[in-house]
RNA sequence: GGCUCGGUAGCUCAGCGGUAGAGCAGGUGACUCUUAAUCACUUGGUCCAAGGUUCGAAUCCUUGCCGGGCCA
């Protein structure tokens, strides 16, 4: 019964007492000549607005969802809630007249509208004394307890709308996400970048190494791939003469789901002609600090403040104060694994991994063993922002090689809170080298080569810097959310069997 | 994919071989400044599913489904 009630419509003859009672109230409203799914109710102030613009006896018009009710015979206190917050309303028999009887028919969860004047209760809460009350929409299902909330994570994600009704924290984080995206756009606009939209359905899924989702175009009779990255199209725009472009949109990767991975996720990519990875690192630093300051109001982020839901910081806050350190990959590995790391033998490195508690598999190449050291001993332990620069070229095959040291590439990886938040490159614009790299990457599957992209590069792409920022992870970092599902409104879950 | 934890009333949870429980929500009644309102009475369950063990299974075993965490 419990699971049945989650998503599927409940058969009338089988419904629980709670649902039957609410359904029966529909008829009672209709007998009163009132449509319980009423018409528009324009002109209501937001709950927070009412409180912020408080003045004794000021007339107000309000609307929201009824979330609590305290009936005391001939008067009632209740709270309504909207996107902006909660507001207490108060009703007395002599104030509402016949409409006072509506309280008997109202259930927690119903949408109501009303008019009245403001006053302050003897305990100091700003409250609306109602002179008019109407039902705007009937709720036929009980909402979870206001006090205990919804702690069943599965139900929170499957029925986010219920989570949003009940959880202050879910509302806070998801609204912050929207504000963060908004401020990112404003930042780029102020820097005179042009926002563009490039194909989400592509004939070749390029720009990253990931398994794509495949779909079919019926009229053209071809397979299309949901994009795994917008990179190759944004670079075509550099060829076409755009100098500063960015895109914020969804990428799709047909891979596992975890605390940090959702099959569709939001990516920001930006390309800047004539810039390099160092210029891009300054751009990212300024972007993230200014967004944090504007949205969170502080550069100390991620430490989770105690909330209504009792969630408290598990880790100390992250300090985003700029400038952020830049350190070379080789130097970081040497600090973590020993100054002699790059001079000792293959066998000695494996022994040292064991001594340092870093797990490796026998099949790993040397650079992979080194990267395990980096990931476990540097990346995972880095809390405050760190730009790791000059990665070995094997790890980043599509970036430009360093002029002085061709074994490394001109890139950075920005690490915050133990995870990679943003890579940045000096982009490869040599079409001959790019073709070699892409051919090597495609291996046997040469049909996966994006010939049109290579043709574009042959027309000439200016030197450019590029960055990618996983928006979901950025939001996690700034809000302190521990799962990507907490920053995505409707994360993907396997459907329940019927 | 591997390991591990979980799924009991609308919600939050207890019960872990011997009649299915609590708080809140809901229902009835009382109550004109409550705010987790209070007081009295009270309804509500295919214990995720299917097999098995047992005189007896929510509880033990097996398999499956869904979810969380860790690992790959």
């Amino acid at each position: 019964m419990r699971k049945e009630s989650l998503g599927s419509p409940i058969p009338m003859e089988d419904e629980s007492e709670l649902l039957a009672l609410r359904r029966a109230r529909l008829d009672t409203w209709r007998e009163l000549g009132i449509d319980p799914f009423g018409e528009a109710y324009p002109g209501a102030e937001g709950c927070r607005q009412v409180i912020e613009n408080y003045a004794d006896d000021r007339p107000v018009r309000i609307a929201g969802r009824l979330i609590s009710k305290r009936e005391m015979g001939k008067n009632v206190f209740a709270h309504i809630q909207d996107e902006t917050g909660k507001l207490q309303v108060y009703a007395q028999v002599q104030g509402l007249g016949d409409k006072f009887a509506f309280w008997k028919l109202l259930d927690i969860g119903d949408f109501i509208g009303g008019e009245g004047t403001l006053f302050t209760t003897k305990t100091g809460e700003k409250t609306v004394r109602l002179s008019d009350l109407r039902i705007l929409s009937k709720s036929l299902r009980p909402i979870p307890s206001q006090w205990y909330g919804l702690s069943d994570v599965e139900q929170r994600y499957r029925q986010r709308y219920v989570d949003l009704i009940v959880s202050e924290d879910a509302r806070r984080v998801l609204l912050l996400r929207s504000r963060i995206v908004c401020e990112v756009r404003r930042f780029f606009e102020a820097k005179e970048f042009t926002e563009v939209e490039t194909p989400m359905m592509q004939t070749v899924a390029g720009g990253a190494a990931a398994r794509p989702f495949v779909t079919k175009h019926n009229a053209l009779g071809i397979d299309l791939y949901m994009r795994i990255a917008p990179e190759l199209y944004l670079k075509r725009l550099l060829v076409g003469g755009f100098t500063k472009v960015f895109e914020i949109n969804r990428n799709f990767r047909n891979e596992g789901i975890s605390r940090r991975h959702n099959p569709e996720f939001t990516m920001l990519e930006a390309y800047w002609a004539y810039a390099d990875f160092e210029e891009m690192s300054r751009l990212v630093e300024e972007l993230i600090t200014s967004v944090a300051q504007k949205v969170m109001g502080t550069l100390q982020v991620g430490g989770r403040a105690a909330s209504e839901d009792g969630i408290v910081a598990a880790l100390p806050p992250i300090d985003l104060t700029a400038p952020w350190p830049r350190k070379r990959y080789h130097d970081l590995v040497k600090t973590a694994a020993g100054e002699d790391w790059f001079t000792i033998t293959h066998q000695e490195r494996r022994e040292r991994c064991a001594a340092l508690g870093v797990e490796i598999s026998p099949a790993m190449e040397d650079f992979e063993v080194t990267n395990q050291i980096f990931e476990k001993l540097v990346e995972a332990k880095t809390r405050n922002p760190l730009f790791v620069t000059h990665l070995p070229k094997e790890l980043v095959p599509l970036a430009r090689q360093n002029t002085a040291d061709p074994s490394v590439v001109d890139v950075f990886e920005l690490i915050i809170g133990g995870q990679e938040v943003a890579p940045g490159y000096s982009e490869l614009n040599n079409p001959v080298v790019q073709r070699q790299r892409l051919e090597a990457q495609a291996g046997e599957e040469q049909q996966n080569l994006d010939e049109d992209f290579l043709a574009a590069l042959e027309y000439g792409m200016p030197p450019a810097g590029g960055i990618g920022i996983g928006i979901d992870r950025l939001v996690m970092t700034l809000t302190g959310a521990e799962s990507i599902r907490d920053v995505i409104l409707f994360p993907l879950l396997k459907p329940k069997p019927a």
Side-chain angles (χ1 to χ4, degrees):
Chain A
M1 176 59 78
R2 174 170 175 273
K3 294 299 167 188
E4 197 175 288
S5 73
L6 277 182
S8 50
I10 289 160
M12 291 284 278
E13 65 274 18
D14 200 32
E15 69 187 7
S16 79
E17 187 192 356
L18 288 173
L19 299 173
L21 268 159
R22 289 189 172 217
R23 216 173 265 279
R25 294 224 165 114
L26 290 177
D27 297 329
T28 315
W29 281 107
R30 291 193 177 113
E31 280 158 20
L32 292 170
I34 293 167
D35 181 356
F37 299 103
E39 296 174 0
Y41 195 72
E45 291 181 47
C47 290
R48 189 194 300 157
Q49 217 183 331
V50 167
I51 291 165
E52 282 175 358
N53 299 323
Y54 178 86
D56 283 338
D57 299 320
R58 182 169 79 83
V60 292
R61 183 175 164 94
I62 49 111
R65 189 189 286 275
L66 186 65
I67 55 161
S68 68
K69 191 167 70 158
R70 295 170 292 285
E71 289 178 278
M72 292 168 296
K74 297 190 175 63
N75 66 351
V76 176
F77 282 95
H79 275 94
I80 62 167
Q81 171 178 282
D82 68 9
E83 188 186 303
T84 67
K86 289 175 185 153
L87 178 65
Q88 183 167 252
V89 297
Y90 175 61
Q92 294 164 292
V93 170
Q94 69 263 44
L96 269 182
D98 293 346
K99 288 180 177 173
F100 188 83
F102 289 175
W103 287 109
K104 281 280 158 224
L105 300 177
L106 288 172
D107 288 303
I108 288 171
D110 291 352
F111 280 94
I112 60 172
E115 291 179 353
T117 53
L118 292 179
F119 76 106
T120 303
T121 64
K122 73 176 185 190
T123 51
E125 181 162 353
K126 290 161 182 169
T127 302
V128 180
R129 178 182 277 111
L130 292 175
S131 55
D132 186 37
L133 171 67
R134 67 184 66 189
I135 183 165
L136 302 180
S137 186
K138 182 75 200 155
S139 167
L140 292 179
R141 295 187 186 219
I143 62 176
S145 148
Q146 285 293 314
W147 184 246
Y148 291 106
L150 191 57
S151 73
D152 179 341
V153 282
E154 183 177 351
Q155 199 183 344
R156 288 187 47 224
Y157 298 143
R158 281 192 198 283
Q159 295 186 284
R160 179 70 88 186
Y161 42 91
V162 176
D163 187 31
L164 287 169
I165 293 169
V166 165
S167 169
E168 166 80 33
D169 201 55
R171 284 194 298 273
R172 184 184 68 86
V173 169
L174 290 164
L175 285 170
L176 281 172
R177 181 199 172 103
S178 293
R179 292 197 50 211
I180 288 166
V181 171
C182 180
E183 287 300 335
V184 168
R185 285 207 160 89
R186 282 191 193 164
F187 176 87
F188 278 103
E189 189 188 353
K191 295 280 179 193
E192 298 179 316
F193 276 71
T194 302
E195 180 170 5
V196 296
E197 293 175 272
T198 65
M200 311 269 269
M201 295 197 285
Q202 307 178 344
T203 51
V204 179
R211 187 136 54 102
F213 286 92
V214 190
T215 185
K216 261 195 166 37
H217 191 288
N218 290 338
L220 294 180
I222 55 169
D223 282 342
L224 288 172
Y225 301 90
M226 305 303 290
R227 76 173 185 197
I228 55 176
E231 174 164 345
L232 303 188
Y233 283 90
L234 293 170
K235 286 179 171 171
R236 282 171 168 90
L237 295 176
L238 296 178
V239 170
F242 284 76
T243 54
K244 293 170 159 187
V245 293
F246 77 102
E247 177 163 9
I248 299 179
N249 229 320
R250 222 64 67 77
N251 286 351
F252 306 86
R253 297 189 181 174
N254 203 343
E255 294 174 350
I257 296 177
S258 81
R259 205 159 63 83
R260 292 179 179 180
H261 299 87
N262 194 61
E264 53 178 309
F265 60 100
T266 302
M267 195 70 179
L268 160 71
E269 287 199 14
Y271 293 84
W272 185 354
Y274 316 118
D276 64 4
F277 79 100
E278 287 174 327
E279 180 101 55
M280 297 314 279
S281 77
R282 291 190 288 275
L283 186 76
V284 169
E285 188 178 77
E286 191 184 339
L287 168 69
I288 292 178
T289 49
S290 92
V291 168
Q293 192 65 58
K294 283 188 173 132
V295 177
M296 309 303 295
T298 174
L299 293 178
Q300 318 299 312
V301 301
R304 205 156 206 194
S307 71
E308 266 188 13
D309 304 80
I311 294 161
V312 288
L315 290 166
I318 293 165
D319 182 5
L320 296 178
T321 305
W324 301 340
R326 273 82 170 157
K327 290 191 177 151
R328 287 183 171 241
Y329 182 89
H330 272 230
D331 296 339
L332 289 164
V333 169
K334 284 199 282 186
T335 305
E339 284 298 316
D340 56 353
W341 176 261
F342 291 100
T343 57
I344 59 179
T345 66
H346 180 82
Q347 189 53 39
E348 284 169 327
R349 282 184 203 161
R350 277 154 202 275
E351 284 160 11
R352 190 161 302 168
C353 279
L356 291 166
V358 173
E359 283 180 37
I360 50 168
S361 74
M364 281 181 176
E365 306 265 342
D366 258 8
F367 78 91
E368 292 173 306
V369 171
T370 300
N371 201 46
Q372 280 298 107
I373 294 280
F374 173 76
E375 286 184 5
K376 303 292 183 225
L377 299 183
V378 181
E379 183 173 287
K381 295 185 174 175
T382 298
R383 192 115 180 101
N384 290 338
L386 170 67
F387 284 112
V388 180
T389 67
H390 300 93
L391 277 69
K393 68 174 195 296
E394 294 87 350
L395 290 177
V396 197
L398 299 184
R400 185 181 183 282
Q401 276 163 269
N402 185 269
T403 311
D405 178 1
S407 75
V408 300
V409 286
D410 283 340
V411 303
F412 69 76
E413 262 183 21
L414 172 61
I415 296 167
I416 307 178
Q419 64 180 339
E420 188 191 332
V421 169
Y425 294 8
S426 290
E427 300 295 345
L428 179 61
N429 65 345
N430 179 332
V432 178
V433 176
Q434 179 75 83
R435 174 176 288 278
Q436 289 165 359
R437 298 262 183 88
L438 287 181
E439 279 175 354
Q441 192 185 44
E444 313 237 308
E445 316 209 333
Q446 294 294 307
Q447 75 277 9
N448 289 344
L449 215 54
D450 190 339
E451 285 291 348
D452 179 71
F453 169 65
L454 290 168
L457 281 196
E458 287 170 10
Y459 279 93
M461 186 182 101
I467 52 160
I469 298 182
I471 292 292
D472 311 278
R473 289 190 183 181
L474 177 64
V475 175
M476 287 170 71
T477 300
L478 294 181
T479 61
E482 285 177 5
S483 168
I484 195 168
R485 290 173 163 181
D486 293 328
V487 301
I488 292 176
L489 284 166
F490 300 102
L492 185 70
L493 269 77
K494 200 166 177 176
K496 285 275 195 189

